[in-house]
Amino acid sequence: MSDALRPMARPRLYEQVIERLREYVTSTRLSAGDKLPAERELAQRLGVSRASIKQAIVVLEVQGLIEARHGGGTYLVRDTLDAEPVEQLVERRRRLPDVLEAREALETKLAELAAERRTKADLDELEAALDYMREEISSGSNGVEGDRRFHAAVTAAAHSSMLAEFMRSIADQITESRTESLRQPGRPSRSLGQHLAIFDAISIRDGRKAATAMRRHLRTVAKVRLLTWNPDDDVEQ
């Protein structure tokens, strides 16, 4: 039977709130660092409950577009509130745990092998990636490219063609998890520090230490706001 006449889904109220907030930021020319009106004021002006405002704020926070400071208001992280569709967020939230699990299994072993097999040229590539990420963070970015280069250099240093092929097969999903992790507040500099620990272990050819450092790093990567978000919490239709 055709599902063409299936019931039409109503947009969630908080999604409408997000669109109004996006229009507000654009029309008032707010930019990164500027403060949004208080939740109570937003609820009054938009004619919705504070629960709907809170859910909209959470979705924007999950996407790294705003920062909600406890007791201090809500501030823009970027110059716009061009939010990702909620359906895409829900889908990414669904597959992210599997991606993180696969990364820990693969990359922990890659770090161990890298410590055992690395060459001087491999160490040079790892150092170059660390320098690149350090420069990115210093310039105010999240260090996504430097992070990619570092993990790619670890994979190359392991000299395992099969494991490298596995990594290539999930490259797109890894990119998603990397971006999700590095937009968490304070995460870029913390990741850089963990990369340095991995590098140190690889440089002294300590496979066990390298594996432990990589596992610790990837478990930090797994701590993202998206995984604590429930799209149907406290929502009014």
Side-chain angles (χ1 to χ4, degrees), residues 46-61:
L46 293 174
V48 299
S49 71
R50 289 189 67 178
S52 294
I53 298 295
K54 286 179 181 295
Q55 183 67 339
I57 294 297
V58 167
V59 172
L60 293 171
E61 186 179 16

Side-chain angles (χ1 to χ4, degrees), residues 12 14 54-56 58-59 62 86 90 93 225-235:
R12 299 178 179 88
Y14 70 79
K54 286 179 181 295
Q55 183 67 339
V58 167
V59 172
V62 163
V86 170
V90 171
R93 183 184 185 280
R225 184 71 175 84
L226 178 63
L227 293 179
T228 67
W229 169 62
N230 184 335
D232 295 318
D233 278 350
D234 300 322
V235 176

